[in-house]
């Protein structure tokens, strides 16, 4: 579904954050990008979303170039990103935040059906649908951010650090939700510092260090990798 070919990505006036990386995401997979702070994980998601342009290389969705397409059109092509820090509209209600995610959907019936599906997936959001987003707990805000991403009816959902700022007892709940979403057939690209939880739900994963992919494999294989265990699991 998604293919990154020899991509080098950086910010305006700065050095390259990611250098000559290549990886794939197949339909129906959960694929994780793991690594420490500054490894370039979020930079990759921003490039796929069209917020950054690769200085070299290609980004392809089902064989068609994405790296020349504006961000709003990338959403219409079936890619949604749940950003780091959630980035909600704090003064808008839960329902209004969710509906913002459906701006690219022309059918009111489809929007309503998707809204009902999201509220069934996140019962706490249904209970708080009239509340302002800024009054929700951190875990509820993360659910709202994921729900907003699902409202665009994506084929590929990208999540940037979904466990960041969440109480430890709710982290497993967030990952269980991601796993449940993937079991329904949605393709997921996950960026996450919680390596243990991420690899447990991943079909495959790539390890980034200082802007380069240094290791790849199935999630269960990387959990047994000496590099991963020593660098990211403290073993």
């Amino acid at each position: 579904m998604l293919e990154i070919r020899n991509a080098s990505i950086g910010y305006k006036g700065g050095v390259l954050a990611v250098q000559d990386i290549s990886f794939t995401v197949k339909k129906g997979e959960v694929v994780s990008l793991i690594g420490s702070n500054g490894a370039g994980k979020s930079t990759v998601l921003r490039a796929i979303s069209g917020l950054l342009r690769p200085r070299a290389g290609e980004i392809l969705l089902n064989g068609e170039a994405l790296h020349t397409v504006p961000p709003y059109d990338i959403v219409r092509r079936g890619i949604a990103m749940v950003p780091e820090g959630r980035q909600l509209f704090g003064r808008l209600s839960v329902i209004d935040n969710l509906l913002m995610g459906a701006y690219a959907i022309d059918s009111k019936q489809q929007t309503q059906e998707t809204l009902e599906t999201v509220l069934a997936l996140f019962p706490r959001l249904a209970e708080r649908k009239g509340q302002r987003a800024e009054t929700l707990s951190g875990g509820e805000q993360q659910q709202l951010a994921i729900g907003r991403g699902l409202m665009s009816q994506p084929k590929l959902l990208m999540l940037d650090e979904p466990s960041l700022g969440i109480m430890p007892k709710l982290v497993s709940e967030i990952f269980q939700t991601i796993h449940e979403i993937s079991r329904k057939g949605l393709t997921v690209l996950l960026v996450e510092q919680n390596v243990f939880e991420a690899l447990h739900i991943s079909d495959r994963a790539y390890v980034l260090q200082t802007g380069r992919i240094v290791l790849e494999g199935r999630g269960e294989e990387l959990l047994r990798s000496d590099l991963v265990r020593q660098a990211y699991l403290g073993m």
Side-chain angles (χ1 to χ4, degrees), residues 117-135:
T117 299
V118 168
L119 292 178
L121 181 64
F122 299 113
R124 274 181 264 179
L125 298 184
E127 295 169 4
R128 294 158 172 75
K129 58 186 179 182
Q131 284 185 223
R132 295 200 307 193
E134 62 190 5
T135 68

Side-chain angles (χ1 to χ4, degrees), residues 19-184:
Q19 300 180 57
D20 195 30
I21 67 165
S22 298
F23 69 91
T24 60
V25 180
K26 298 176 183 177
K27 185 178 180 180
E29 283 189 314
V30 177
V31 174
S32 286
L33 301 178
I34 64 173
S36 58
N37 271 334
K41 307 182 303 296
S42 295
T43 299
V44 174
L45 295 195
R46 291 186 185 118
I48 296 169
S49 299
L51 302 176
L52 292 173
R53 297 296 183 201
R55 297 187 190 175
E58 297 178 301
I59 300 174
L60 307 174
L61 179 67
N62 295 320
E64 296 184 356
L66 276 187
H67 52 282
T68 58
V69 174
Y72 61 83
D73 197 24
I74 289 175
V75 175
R76 294 184 186 278
R77 294 188 186 203
I79 295 181
M81 181 166 74
V82 179
E84 180 180 345
R86 301 179 281 275
Q87 304 296 322
L88 299 172
F89 300 95
R91 296 191 177 188
L92 296 185
S93 68
V94 167
I95 287 293
D96 286 341
N97 268 275
L98 291 174
L99 292 176
M100 286 294 290
Y103 79 90
I105 306 301
D106 295 326
S107 168
K108 290 184 178 180
Q109 181 178 345
Q110 287 184 23
T111 296
Q112 184 60 36
E113 290 173 354
T114 305
L115 180 62
E116 291 172 2
T117 299
V118 168
L119 292 178
L121 181 64
F122 299 113
R124 274 181 264 179
L125 298 184
E127 295 169 4
R128 294 158 172 75
K129 58 186 179 182
Q131 284 185 223
R132 295 200 307 193
E134 62 190 5
T135 68
L136 302 179
S137 69
E140 290 164 351
Q141 288 186 5
Q142 187 61 63
Q143 290 180 357
L144 181 54
I146 295 172
R148 182 180 60 185
L150 293 173
M151 287 297 297
S152 68
Q153 301 176 8
K155 300 181 180 74
L156 170 65
L157 182 68
M158 303 192 300
L159 300 120
D160 194 355
E161 303 287 4
S163 73
L164 188 68
I166 305 298
M167 293 177 61
K169 67 179 182 180
L170 296 178
V171 168
S172 293
E173 186 177 323
I174 291 293
F175 279 98
Q176 181 58 39
T177 299
I178 297 169
H179 181 60
E180 183 178 341
I181 290 169
S182 71
R183 288 181 62 186
K184 293 179 179 179

